Amino acid sequence: MVLFSYFGNMTVMRPSLLQWIRCTLLSLVGISLIGWITSCSSISSRSAHLNRWMQAENPELLRILCTTSHIQNLVDAIGGDTVLSLVLIPPDLDPHSYELVKGDGEKFSRAAWVFANGLNLEHGASLHTLLTEQTNVTQIGHAIQTQAPERILWSDGFIDPHIWMDVSLWALAIDPIVDQLSKLSPEHRDFYHERGQNLTTTLRQFDQELWQDLQQISEPNRYLVTSHDAFRYFVRRYLALSNETPEGWEKRLTAPEGLAPEGQLSPLDLQRTMLFLQEHRIQVIFPESNVSPVSLDKICKTARQMGQPLRVCTTPLYGDSTGGLSYIEAMRHNKDVLVANLGRQ
Ligand SMILES: [Zn+2]
């Protein structure tokens, strides 16, 4: 009787169900189409900018090549209309392993100057070699390391290159850029210095905003699992307790893929991450915009099989890429996602 009634209702409802399926399929096609159009539009916009950069003939305009968008943001903020900047590594690719592709060599030969992150971020062999051999390169991380060696982090003998994740540390990149642009275009020295000072003020205020807002997350919830180890500077600056030693705050994060997201998840990585999740009763883990979520999905599946409630955050964080946003927008996005997900646990 119940079965009859159920199918009977189904018969009555069939036209609206078909309509619903049709609408859903059309919506999915529409969403895919919008995504495809947006992606094409973004690629087309990057291609137009590349053409403009390659063909610029104004000798007063400094043609600057930056390996990452984090660096480009600083260069643009300081150089204003006197520079034309280009990012070498596309936002959806891994800067750790990026290798030169056709056309990249010409970008290097046309650039008046190259700003790279350094600290072995760009360790793809072909790019690393070029950055080492070229004489018109500033490795920003090395300049920051010279200014504040005690603030540079190391992990198992390897230097941690993710210095942009601490805004107060990243602000130390401003002076080396101001100095270099001033050498390239001495008539704009005062202009660069003034804009550099304004940017320093902006970043210091933004650093305080991030710190203040992240204090909303209670101490027991200040544990972070991300795809790879891009967030150690971030945790030290914004999630560590006041006066917490490295032995303390280093235990507040783990990342199954280590310092560079190139390897596959090993059984040991999986075991280590599972222990971390259990020890700190973690309920949510965070993917990154330019790293495959496969490892985190596997961890989530394993945790659930063991009866532990765990979810992968549906909004990725920006680790190695700003995903087309400005540096400040990307960092603010990270803060908002963490407060929304860890602050309510
Ligand atoms: Zn990284």
Side-chain angles (χ1 to χ4, degrees):
M1 190 64 176
V2 171
L3 199 65
F4 175 79
S5 171
Y6 178 76
F7 279 106
N9 284 339
M10 282 293 284
T11 306
V12 172
M13 290 177 67
R14 184 172 293 161
S16 59
L17 181 64
L18 286 173
Q19 281 175 345
W20 179 83
I21 291 170
R22 195 165 56 196
C23 283
T24 304
L25 286 173
L26 284 172
S27 299
L28 288 172
V29 169
I31 289 167
S32 303
L33 200 58
I34 289 168
W36 181 75
I37 290 170
T38 307
S39 168
C40 287
S41 159
S42 168
I43 291 169
S44 157
S45 158
R46 284 213 301 270
S47 173
H49 181 71
L50 172 61
N51 286 338
R52 201 162 65 245
W53 189 87
M54 293 290 266
Q55 290 162 12
E57 289 180 355
N58 182 353
E60 294 183 1
L61 203 55
L62 294 175
R63 195 161 18 203
I64 304 294
L65 183 61
C66 307
T67 55
T68 70
S69 55
H70 303 103
I71 300 169
Q72 183 195 37
N73 267 216
L74 296 184
V75 169
D76 286 350
I78 296 164
D81 291 340
T82 73
V83 302
L84 188 57
S85 65
L86 182 73
V87 176
L88 179 72
I89 304 172
D92 51 339
L93 297 185
D94 170 19
H96 295 273
S97 57
Y98 183 81
E99 297 282 1
L100 297 177
V101 296
K102 189 180 175 190
D104 282 352
E106 195 177 352
K107 292 172 194 168
F108 272 85
S109 63
R110 284 188 173 248
W113 203 261
V114 179
F115 289 102
N117 188 84
L119 302 183
N120 213 29
L121 173 74
E122 304 94 338
H123 67 229
S126 55
L127 176 56
H128 181 77
T129 302
L130 200 54
L131 289 173
T132 309
E133 290 176 350
Q134 292 261 142
T135 54
N136 62 337
V137 177
T138 297
Q139 306 232 17
I140 284 175
H142 299 172
I144 292 178
Q145 187 180 22
T146 303
Q147 293 178 67
E150 74 286 357
R151 296 181 66 187
I152 299 298
L153 292 173
W154 293 76
S155 178
D156 298 329
F158 294 97
I159 203 159
D160 185 339
H162 303 93
I163 42 178
W164 60 89
M165 299 303 292
D166 173 344
V167 178
S168 68
L169 189 61
W170 192 232
L172 298 182
I174 294 171
D175 281 352
I177 295 173
V178 167
D179 290 346
Q180 187 53 52
L181 292 183
S182 298
K183 282 180 193 162
L184 294 169
S185 183
E187 66 273 27
H188 292 111
R189 176 181 292 274
D190 291 345
F191 176 76
Y192 297 143
H193 274 268
E194 185 182 342
R195 289 174 72 95
Q197 283 175 353
N198 291 340
L199 182 58
T200 300
T201 304
T202 300
L203 289 188
R204 282 182 182 160
Q205 287 171 350
F206 180 55
D207 173 65
Q208 284 301 312
E209 173 196 318
L210 284 188
W211 185 87
Q212 195 69 45
D213 288 353
L214 284 158
Q215 301 311 298
Q216 296 173 48
I217 302 172
S218 63
E219 189 277 329
N221 292 340
R222 292 189 195 179
Y223 289 91
L224 196 56
V225 179
T226 55
S227 301
H228 86 298
D229 265 332
F231 285 80
R232 293 171 72 237
Y233 288 98
F234 185 94
V235 166
R236 180 181 69 176
R237 173 71 187 123
Y238 304 111
L239 294 181
L241 303 181
S242 56
N243 300 321
E244 193 167 33
T245 61
E247 288 72 30
W249 68 258
E250 284 272 18
K251 293 192 176 113
R252 292 188 176 275
L253 77 165
T254 195
E257 298 195 34
L259 210 50
E262 293 162 31
Q264 289 201 334
L265 186 68
S266 70
L268 194 62
D269 292 331
L270 181 61
Q271 187 184 24
R272 183 172 51 81
T273 310
M274 295 309 300
L275 283 172
F276 188 84
L277 292 169
Q278 286 163 359
E279 186 180 350
H280 303 295
R281 300 171 185 274
I282 288 170
Q283 295 173 20
V284 57
I285 54 181
F286 298 92
E288 294 168 40
S289 67
N290 66 334
V291 182
S292 164
V294 169
S295 294
L296 293 193
D297 287 342
K298 188 173 180 182
I299 287 164
C300 196
K301 193 175 167 191
T302 307
R304 285 178 176 172
Q305 283 169 349
M306 295 168 70
Q308 186 176 349
L310 183 70
R311 65 186 173 87
V312 178
C313 182
T314 50
T315 310
L317 299 176
Y318 293 115
D320 287 346
S321 165
T322 57
L325 300 178
S326 73
Y327 168 64
I328 285 182
E329 286 170 339
M331 292 295 285
R332 187 173 279 135
H333 163 93
N334 287 345
K335 177 260 293 179
D336 289 341
V337 170
L338 293 175
V339 169
N341 284 276
L342 298 179
R344 71 179 185 201
Q345 281 191 126

